[in-house]
Amino acid sequence: MTFVPFEMERWQSIHEHAVDLNLSESGVHPLTLAELVELADIERGALDGLLLEYVQSNGGQLLRERIAAIYPGAAAEDVVVTNGSAEANFVAAWDLAAQGGEFVFMEPNYFQIRGIAENLGVPVKSWWLDQPSWDADLAALEELVNEKTRAIFVCNPNNPTGRCFGDEFIAGVTAAAERVGAWVLADEVYRGAEHHGEETPSLWGSYDRVIAVSGLSKAYGLPGLRIGWAVAGDGHAERLWARKDYTTISPSALSEYLAGAALESRARIALLERTRGILNTNWQVLQAWLEERADLFSWRAPEAGAISLIEFRREVDTGALAEALRRDESCLIQPGCQFGLPRHLRLGIGPPKARLEDGLDRLARVIDSTVLADEQGVGS
Ligand SMILES: Cc1ncc(COP(=O)(O)O)c(C=O)c1O
């Protein structure tokens, strides 16, 4: 079997620390350790005395209780703490793949689970959101799901569209799954990063075969802690934990401690407010930039996440454009060709405002010198 690489992650990991400006990130500008210590009122002595041991491998009791508190009806036993939501997705997809059958995968999406499934030899059917509204076609989902479907994978709020889906979506997805006894894995890592501040409902609690995945990387601005989690009922968390014994054993002791402090209710609210402030300020910047170029792009305003998906109104090689921007202007963006949308760009709106403005200036220069110059050349 040919190995399918994770093209988007590799593009980011090679270049994100080498460029001046990174607009490829989907989370807000991270906090420093000092900012987190202040915001969460952490005592310096507590950090100095922290034992750098292996912690409880599914996550310590306090952290699991704080995570469970975000999900009504969940208990600490329903939670497995992982190294990023990426590990939660991995152990869950690995476990579901071992049960046989097919996966149904919402698209557009973050391609991690699709790649894992393909690399494990699991057949994957794509369930595409409608373009350009990015509405969810629940009737189409019903048609895709059959007795072979082992699991439906959704991302809500969605990467890369920034759409948030509510109760009707949850009812439709769980009804389709329940009809055939399939699992639903809901990657909810952007939950809490809604621009309007109203938290997207979790799929948790809507059906007994739901695995809700999330973490601190996006809505909380703490990707370097590498703390994620899966919440799953009826002893299923235990199954995921058993898989995790083979991957990374336990979270880092330092990250677990800091994550516990970040999820204390007052600190959690402050972190989410910080995120919302950045997103609302920066969306205004991007929106103004787009409105000046409405003949070039179409877009739907994102509802959540530090991401915005914009579409060229004409054929453009977005891979070549992103490469020219990186090479000539030291600025990184995410070309849509890496996630099945060759005319789209995904732009991160999480950096400090001045850096976003600088990055957009550089993108405008490259568009002028490539896309628009080519067109003028053709016309002349
Ligand atoms: C939808 C989605 N899920 C999971 C991840 C992995 O994030 P992390 O492991 O940092 O929580 C990402 C990262 O971009 C993502 O966009």
Side-chain angles (χ1 to χ4, degrees):
M1 197 171 17
T2 317
F3 179 74
V4 182
F6 195 167
E7 194 185 354
M8 179 181 134
E9 276 301 331
R10 183 45 64 101
W11 163 258
Q12 280 187 287
S13 38
I14 293 173
H15 301 303
E16 67 188 339
H17 296 291
V19 290
D20 293 346
L21 293 169
N22 181 14
L23 303 190
S24 73
E25 251 313 321
S26 57
V28 290
H29 189 63
L31 285 88
T32 63
L33 178 59
E35 284 168 338
L36 177 60
V37 164
E38 194 188 325
L39 179 142
D41 228 349
I42 296 169
E43 276 182 35
R44 184 59 212 263
L47 284 183
D48 288 347
L50 190 74
L51 200 58
L52 296 176
E53 58 178 345
Y54 283 117
V55 293
Q56 168 85 17
S57 64
N58 59 334
Q61 182 72 17
L62 175 73
L63 179 55
R64 284 184 294 114
E65 277 171 11
R66 289 194 170 162
I67 294 168
I70 305 171
Y71 300 86
E77 302 77 72
D78 300 323
V79 178
V80 187
V81 179
T82 53
N83 285 275
S85 54
E87 190 187 25
N89 280 338
F90 180 79
V91 290
W94 184 23
D95 185 58
L96 292 165
Q99 297 175 37
E102 298 176 351
F103 288 177
V104 171
F105 183 68
M106 175 195 258
E107 288 196 48
N109 206 331
Y110 180 67
F111 262 26
Q112 184 201 3
I113 288 175
R114 180 167 196 119
I116 292 169
E118 286 172 357
N119 285 319
L120 292 173
V122 181
V124 181
K125 286 185 188 165
S126 296
W127 172 42
W128 274 90
L129 299 179
D130 288 342
Q131 293 189 46
S133 65
W134 306 122
D135 288 337
D137 184 344
L138 293 164
L141 177 66
E142 269 295 336
E143 277 177 32
L144 285 173
V145 171
N146 61 33
E147 296 300 324
K148 290 194 209 145
T149 308
R150 175 66 50 210
I152 303 171
F153 294 86
V154 299
C155 179
N156 185 36
N158 178 257
N159 174 2
T161 64
R163 283 297 317 265
C164 297
F165 299 104
D167 293 341
E168 193 186 335
F169 169 87
I170 292 176
V173 171
T174 51
E178 199 161 8
R179 179 168 55 78
V180 297
W183 283 85
V184 178
L185 185 144
D187 183 335
E188 301 175 344
V189 74
Y190 295 93
R191 193 165 165 247
E194 294 80 7
H195 297 205
H196 42 64
E198 196 185 312
E199 216 158 289
T200 308
S202 173
L203 262 97
W204 167 261
S206 57
Y207 166 53
D208 53 357
R209 294 190 161 193
V210 166
I211 303 167
V213 166
S214 195
L216 296 182
S217 297
K218 311 298 177 184
Y220 299 88
L222 298 168
L225 293 186
R226 306 306 303 127
I227 290 287
W229 56 82
V231 188
D234 287 342
H236 196 72
E238 184 82 24
R239 293 173 61 105
L240 303 183
W241 181 10
R243 299 255 166 195
K244 188 175 177 283
D245 289 338
Y246 282 108
T247 53
T248 59
I249 310 178
S250 81
S252 118
L254 181 58
S255 293
E256 175 175 285
Y257 180 78
L258 295 171
L263 289 178
E264 178 275 321
S265 56
R266 196 194 48 82
R268 178 174 184 265
I269 291 168
L271 284 167
L272 297 182
E273 272 174 11
R274 169 188 181 271
T275 297
R276 205 158 44 250
I278 295 172
L279 296 177
N280 283 317
T281 303
N282 284 356
W283 170 246
Q284 301 298 320
V285 172
L286 179 58
Q287 193 176 29
W289 187 91
L290 287 169
E291 277 164 4
E292 281 173 25
R293 293 166 180 79
D295 56 331
L296 197 57
F297 295 113
S298 60
W299 66 92
R300 177 178 172 141
E303 295 157 297
I307 34 185
S308 49
L309 189 64
I310 65 176
E311 181 179 14
F312 277 102
R313 291 186 187 275
R314 58 201 85 174
E315 291 299 321
V316 170
D317 180 346
T318 52
L321 179 77
E323 177 53 21
L325 180 67
R326 184 197 70 75
R327 187 189 57 229
D328 302 339
E329 295 280 356
S330 197
C331 177
L332 200 67
I333 57 167
Q334 207 64 65
C337 55
Q338 292 178 0
F339 47 88
L341 293 172
R343 268 164 56 151
H344 290 72
L345 300 176
R346 195 193 76 181
L347 302 180
I349 56 166
K353 184 172 172 232
R355 296 176 71 77
L356 174 64
E357 288 168 338
D358 189 357
L360 292 175
D361 285 346
R362 296 183 195 208
L363 176 58
R365 277 202 293 275
V366 171
I367 291 173
D368 285 349
S369 64
T370 56
V371 180
L372 298 180
D374 286 351
E375 283 174 10
Q376 279 155 15
V378 168
S380 62

